[in-house]
Amino acid sequence: MSYIEDFEQWKDRIEAVPLNEVKLPNKPIDEYVLSVNTLAIDANEDREALGGAGMDVNLIDELTPLSSALSYLQAQWMSIFRAREEAVVEWNEQAPEAFKFRDELLHHFSFAYRNRDDVNKKVARIREGNSQADMVQDLLEIAVLGEKYPDPLNAIKFDLALLPEARTLSHSMSELLAAANGAADDGNQTKVLRDKAFTLLFQKDSIIREYGRYVFWKDEDRRSRYYR
């Protein structure tokens, strides 16, 4: 089967793993999958001996497809994670100019609306807060305010073309901020599934290794196959 077919085969059982039982990977997934696939080969050779000790030998057959499903989910998660890393880099490159643009617009607005108490209060409110999300929202509110009250801006020769520019910048920075922050949450569904798949595989892997060390306690060479 393909990676995605193995995932679809195991999807329901992976999702069924309780969150309170989820174990986070303690080594790179590719290294772990390699060790599990090696175990699948070794344990299959010892199938009769392991089964004779009471182990469910179906566990051996589940290792490879489940590890394939884990590899699929890891690839999906890393794609999201790398996209987030790229968005963070892009945000860090663009944000300083966006903040500077926001501050310059507020400077012009404060002067243009200095004699309009009602509007100037709105400008003062926009100035409140200086977080990343504040900046994104400020650019949009500045555009809306300027479009609603253009005359004072025209009076100081303000370039009204900067208003749609602020609106466009707000939209693009909003998308960039969402991309930079969205996948960072440990609750990201893809990461949760990856961790659940690891947990399920680790449980099966641990049972087989436990039986292997028990069965081959007098055979150091064969017992060594069942250590991590």
PDB file of all heavy atoms in Angstrom, residues 32-54:
ATOM      1  N   TYR A  32      12.930   6.641  14.177  1.00  0.00           N
ATOM      2  CA  TYR A  32      12.061   5.708  14.890  1.00  0.00           C
ATOM      3  C   TYR A  32      11.396   4.731  13.929  1.00  0.00           C
ATOM      4  O   TYR A  32      11.329   3.527  14.195  1.00  0.00           O
ATOM      5  CB  TYR A  32      11.005   6.479  15.686  1.00  0.00           C
ATOM      6  CG  TYR A  32      10.066   5.558  16.433  1.00  0.00           C
ATOM      7  CD1 TYR A  32      10.538   4.748  17.462  1.00  0.00           C
ATOM      8  CD2 TYR A  32       8.728   5.467  16.089  1.00  0.00           C
ATOM      9  CE1 TYR A  32       9.694   3.876  18.139  1.00  0.00           C
ATOM     10  CE2 TYR A  32       7.872   4.604  16.756  1.00  0.00           C
ATOM     11  CZ  TYR A  32       8.365   3.809  17.776  1.00  0.00           C
ATOM     12  OH  TYR A  32       7.535   2.935  18.436  1.00  0.00           O
ATOM     13  N   VAL A  33      10.902   5.235  12.810  1.00  0.00           N
ATOM     14  CA  VAL A  33      10.255   4.370  11.813  1.00  0.00           C
ATOM     15  C   VAL A  33      11.232   3.318  11.302  1.00  0.00           C
ATOM     16  O   VAL A  33      10.870   2.143  11.126  1.00  0.00           O
ATOM     17  CB  VAL A  33       9.693   5.215  10.650  1.00  0.00           C
ATOM     18  CG1 VAL A  33       9.322   4.327   9.461  1.00  0.00           C
ATOM     19  CG2 VAL A  33       8.471   6.002  11.114  1.00  0.00           C
ATOM     20  N   LEU A  34      12.467   3.713  11.084  1.00  0.00           N
ATOM     21  CA  LEU A  34      13.484   2.763  10.623  1.00  0.00           C
ATOM     22  C   LEU A  34      13.688   1.654  11.646  1.00  0.00           C
ATOM     23  O   LEU A  34      13.761   0.465  11.290  1.00  0.00           O
ATOM     24  CB  LEU A  34      14.806   3.485  10.358  1.00  0.00           C
ATOM     25  CG  LEU A  34      15.971   2.614   9.881  1.00  0.00           C
ATOM     26  CD1 LEU A  34      15.642   1.937   8.558  1.00  0.00           C
ATOM     27  CD2 LEU A  34      17.245   3.466   9.748  1.00  0.00           C
ATOM     28  N   SER A  35      13.739   2.031  12.922  1.00  0.00           N
ATOM     29  CA  SER A  35      13.947   1.018  13.965  1.00  0.00           C
ATOM     30  C   SER A  35      12.745   0.073  14.063  1.00  0.00           C
ATOM     31  O   SER A  35      12.910  -1.132  14.300  1.00  0.00           O
ATOM     32  CB  SER A  35      14.199   1.692  15.315  1.00  0.00           C
ATOM     33  OG  SER A  35      13.026   2.303  15.828  1.00  0.00           O
ATOM     34  N   VAL A  36      11.540   0.611  13.858  1.00  0.00           N
ATOM     35  CA  VAL A  36      10.331  -0.212  13.914  1.00  0.00           C
ATOM     36  C   VAL A  36      10.290  -1.180  12.737  1.00  0.00           C
ATOM     37  O   VAL A  36       9.930  -2.355  12.889  1.00  0.00           O
ATOM     38  CB  VAL A  36       9.069   0.675  13.936  1.00  0.00           C
ATOM     39  CG1 VAL A  36       7.812  -0.157  13.688  1.00  0.00           C
ATOM     40  CG2 VAL A  36       8.958   1.393  15.270  1.00  0.00           C
ATOM     41  N   ASN A  37      10.651  -0.700  11.568  1.00  0.00           N
ATOM     42  CA  ASN A  37      10.645  -1.574  10.396  1.00  0.00           C
ATOM     43  C   ASN A  37      11.684  -2.688  10.523  1.00  0.00           C
ATOM     44  O   ASN A  37      11.469  -3.812  10.048  1.00  0.00           O
ATOM     45  CB  ASN A  37      10.882  -0.751   9.126  1.00  0.00           C
ATOM     46  CG  ASN A  37       9.681   0.099   8.763  1.00  0.00           C
ATOM     47  OD1 ASN A  37       8.558  -0.196   9.155  1.00  0.00           O
ATOM     48  ND2 ASN A  37       9.897   1.170   8.020  1.00  0.00           N
ATOM     49  N   THR A  38      12.796  -2.377  11.155  1.00  0.00           N
ATOM     50  CA  THR A  38      13.798  -3.411  11.425  1.00  0.00           C
ATOM     51  C   THR A  38      13.246  -4.429  12.418  1.00  0.00           C
ATOM     52  O   THR A  38      13.421  -5.646  12.250  1.00  0.00           O
ATOM     53  CB  THR A  38      15.085  -2.782  11.994  1.00  0.00           C
ATOM     54  OG1 THR A  38      15.625  -1.863  11.039  1.00  0.00           O
ATOM     55  CG2 THR A  38      16.123  -3.853  12.313  1.00  0.00           C
ATOM     56  N   LEU A  39      12.553  -3.925  13.426  1.00  0.00           N
ATOM     57  CA  LEU A  39      11.932  -4.815  14.409  1.00  0.00           C
ATOM     58  C   LEU A  39      10.908  -5.727  13.742  1.00  0.00           C
ATOM     59  O   LEU A  39      10.814  -6.917  14.085  1.00  0.00           O
ATOM     60  CB  LEU A  39      11.250  -3.993  15.507  1.00  0.00           C
ATOM     61  CG  LEU A  39      10.477  -4.800  16.553  1.00  0.00           C
ATOM     62  CD1 LEU A  39      11.426  -5.692  17.359  1.00  0.00           C
ATOM     63  CD2 LEU A  39       9.688  -3.881  17.476  1.00  0.00           C
ATOM     64  N   ALA A  40      10.153  -5.195  12.790  1.00  0.00           N
ATOM     65  CA  ALA A  40       9.131  -5.993  12.106  1.00  0.00           C
ATOM     66  C   ALA A  40       9.761  -7.193  11.410  1.00  0.00           C
ATOM     67  O   ALA A  40       9.210  -8.309  11.429  1.00  0.00           O
ATOM     68  CB  ALA A  40       8.379  -5.124  11.092  1.00  0.00           C
ATOM     69  N   ILE A  41      10.936  -6.972  10.800  1.00  0.00           N
ATOM     70  CA  ILE A  41      11.634  -8.061  10.109  1.00  0.00           C
ATOM     71  C   ILE A  41      12.155  -9.083  11.119  1.00  0.00           C
ATOM     72  O   ILE A  41      11.960 -10.306  10.961  1.00  0.00           O
ATOM     73  CB  ILE A  41      12.805  -7.494   9.270  1.00  0.00           C
ATOM     74  CG1 ILE A  41      12.261  -6.612   8.146  1.00  0.00           C
ATOM     75  CG2 ILE A  41      13.654  -8.639   8.710  1.00  0.00           C
ATOM     76  CD1 ILE A  41      13.337  -5.855   7.397  1.00  0.00           C
ATOM     77  N   ASP A  42      12.797  -8.598  12.183  1.00  0.00           N
ATOM     78  CA  ASP A  42      13.367  -9.492  13.191  1.00  0.00           C
ATOM     79  C   ASP A  42      12.276 -10.284  13.910  1.00  0.00           C
ATOM     80  O   ASP A  42      12.395 -11.500  14.122  1.00  0.00           O
ATOM     81  CB  ASP A  42      14.171  -8.688  14.215  1.00  0.00           C
ATOM     82  CG  ASP A  42      15.424  -8.076  13.608  1.00  0.00           C
ATOM     83  OD1 ASP A  42      15.873  -8.576  12.552  1.00  0.00           O
ATOM     84  OD2 ASP A  42      15.944  -7.106  14.189  1.00  0.00           O
ATOM     85  N   ALA A  43      11.199  -9.578  14.292  1.00  0.00           N
ATOM     86  CA  ALA A  43      10.125 -10.245  15.033  1.00  0.00           C
ATOM     87  C   ALA A  43       9.402 -11.269  14.165  1.00  0.00           C
ATOM     88  O   ALA A  43       8.947 -12.306  14.665  1.00  0.00           O
ATOM     89  CB  ALA A  43       9.135  -9.207  15.561  1.00  0.00           C
ATOM     90  N   ASN A  44       9.324 -11.000  12.877  1.00  0.00           N
ATOM     91  CA  ASN A  44       8.677 -11.962  11.980  1.00  0.00           C
ATOM     92  C   ASN A  44       9.480 -13.257  11.912  1.00  0.00           C
ATOM     93  O   ASN A  44       8.904 -14.356  11.825  1.00  0.00           O
ATOM     94  CB  ASN A  44       8.514 -11.362  10.588  1.00  0.00           C
ATOM     95  CG  ASN A  44       7.595 -12.190   9.714  1.00  0.00           C
ATOM     96  OD1 ASN A  44       6.465 -12.492  10.088  1.00  0.00           O
ATOM     97  ND2 ASN A  44       8.077 -12.570   8.529  1.00  0.00           N
ATOM     98  N   GLU A  45      10.799 -13.133  11.967  1.00  0.00           N
ATOM     99  CA  GLU A  45      11.638 -14.326  11.993  1.00  0.00           C
ATOM    100  C   GLU A  45      11.429 -15.115  13.291  1.00  0.00           C
ATOM    101  O   GLU A  45      11.552 -16.342  13.308  1.00  0.00           O
ATOM    102  CB  GLU A  45      13.108 -13.925  11.867  1.00  0.00           C
ATOM    103  CG  GLU A  45      13.476 -13.334  10.506  1.00  0.00           C
ATOM    104  CD  GLU A  45      14.930 -12.896  10.444  1.00  0.00           C
ATOM    105  OE1 GLU A  45      15.629 -13.029  11.485  1.00  0.00           O
ATOM    106  OE2 GLU A  45      15.369 -12.423   9.380  1.00  0.00           O
ATOM    107  N   ASP A  46      11.084 -14.392  14.354  1.00  0.00           N
ATOM    108  CA  ASP A  46      10.885 -15.029  15.661  1.00  0.00           C
ATOM    109  C   ASP A  46       9.399 -15.224  15.971  1.00  0.00           C
ATOM    110  O   ASP A  46       9.034 -15.443  17.136  1.00  0.00           O
ATOM    111  CB  ASP A  46      11.513 -14.155  16.761  1.00  0.00           C
ATOM    112  CG  ASP A  46      13.014 -13.990  16.590  1.00  0.00           C
ATOM    113  OD1 ASP A  46      13.648 -14.912  16.051  1.00  0.00           O
ATOM    114  OD2 ASP A  46      13.539 -12.934  16.988  1.00  0.00           O
ATOM    115  N   ARG A  47       8.574 -15.141  14.938  1.00  0.00           N
ATOM    116  CA  ARG A  47       7.123 -15.166  15.132  1.00  0.00           C
ATOM    117  C   ARG A  47       6.663 -16.374  15.981  1.00  0.00           C
ATOM    118  O   ARG A  47       5.864 -16.215  16.909  1.00  0.00           O
ATOM    119  CB  ARG A  47       6.434 -15.198  13.769  1.00  0.00           C
ATOM    120  CG  ARG A  47       4.912 -15.307  13.817  1.00  0.00           C
ATOM    121  CD  ARG A  47       4.339 -15.393  12.403  1.00  0.00           C
ATOM    122  NE  ARG A  47       4.491 -14.138  11.693  1.00  0.00           N
ATOM    123  CZ  ARG A  47       3.545 -13.189  11.628  1.00  0.00           C
ATOM    124  NH1 ARG A  47       2.381 -13.377  12.229  1.00  0.00           N
ATOM    125  NH2 ARG A  47       3.760 -12.084  10.963  1.00  0.00           N
ATOM    126  N   GLU A  48       7.169 -17.526  15.656  1.00  0.00           N
ATOM    127  CA  GLU A  48       6.710 -18.740  16.344  1.00  0.00           C
ATOM    128  C   GLU A  48       7.076 -18.700  17.821  1.00  0.00           C
ATOM    129  O   GLU A  48       6.253 -19.034  18.688  1.00  0.00           O
ATOM    130  CB  GLU A  48       7.311 -19.974  15.676  1.00  0.00           C
ATOM    131  CG  GLU A  48       6.787 -21.282  16.255  1.00  0.00           C
ATOM    132  CD  GLU A  48       7.297 -22.498  15.494  1.00  0.00           C
ATOM    133  OE1 GLU A  48       7.794 -22.338  14.358  1.00  0.00           O
ATOM    134  OE2 GLU A  48       7.186 -23.626  16.040  1.00  0.00           O
ATOM    135  N   ALA A  49       8.295 -18.272  18.107  1.00  0.00           N
ATOM    136  CA  ALA A  49       8.743 -18.234  19.505  1.00  0.00           C
ATOM    137  C   ALA A  49       7.964 -17.185  20.296  1.00  0.00           C
ATOM    138  O   ALA A  49       7.571 -17.422  21.450  1.00  0.00           O
ATOM    139  CB  ALA A  49      10.240 -17.923  19.564  1.00  0.00           C
ATOM    140  N   LEU A  50       7.720 -16.043  19.681  1.00  0.00           N
ATOM    141  CA  LEU A  50       6.977 -14.979  20.366  1.00  0.00           C
ATOM    142  C   LEU A  50       5.523 -15.389  20.597  1.00  0.00           C
ATOM    143  O   LEU A  50       4.959 -15.159  21.669  1.00  0.00           O
ATOM    144  CB  LEU A  50       7.039 -13.684  19.547  1.00  0.00           C
ATOM    145  CG  LEU A  50       8.422 -13.044  19.408  1.00  0.00           C
ATOM    146  CD1 LEU A  50       8.388 -11.911  18.380  1.00  0.00           C
ATOM    147  CD2 LEU A  50       8.914 -12.522  20.751  1.00  0.00           C
ATOM    148  N   GLY A  51       4.927 -15.997  19.569  1.00  0.00           N
ATOM    149  CA  GLY A  51       3.556 -16.466  19.702  1.00  0.00           C
ATOM    150  C   GLY A  51       3.445 -17.553  20.748  1.00  0.00           C
ATOM    151  O   GLY A  51       2.443 -17.641  21.477  1.00  0.00           O
ATOM    152  N   GLY A  52       4.482 -18.371  20.850  1.00  0.00           N
ATOM    153  CA  GLY A  52       4.471 -19.455  21.824  1.00  0.00           C
ATOM    154  C   GLY A  52       4.492 -18.951  23.256  1.00  0.00           C
ATOM    155  O   GLY A  52       4.119 -19.679  24.178  1.00  0.00           O
ATOM    156  N   ALA A  53       4.924 -17.703  23.437  1.00  0.00           N
ATOM    157  CA  ALA A  53       4.949 -17.114  24.786  1.00  0.00           C
ATOM    158  C   ALA A  53       3.659 -16.365  25.084  1.00  0.00           C
ATOM    159  O   ALA A  53       3.535 -15.744  26.144  1.00  0.00           O
ATOM    160  CB  ALA A  53       6.143 -16.181  24.922  1.00  0.00           C
ATOM    161  N   GLY A  54       2.700 -16.426  24.140  1.00  0.00           N
ATOM    162  CA  GLY A  54       1.408 -15.792  24.382  1.00  0.00           C
ATOM    163  C   GLY A  54       1.213 -14.447  23.721  1.00  0.00           C
ATOM    164  O   GLY A  54       0.165 -13.811  23.899  1.00  0.00           O
TER     165      GLY A  54
END
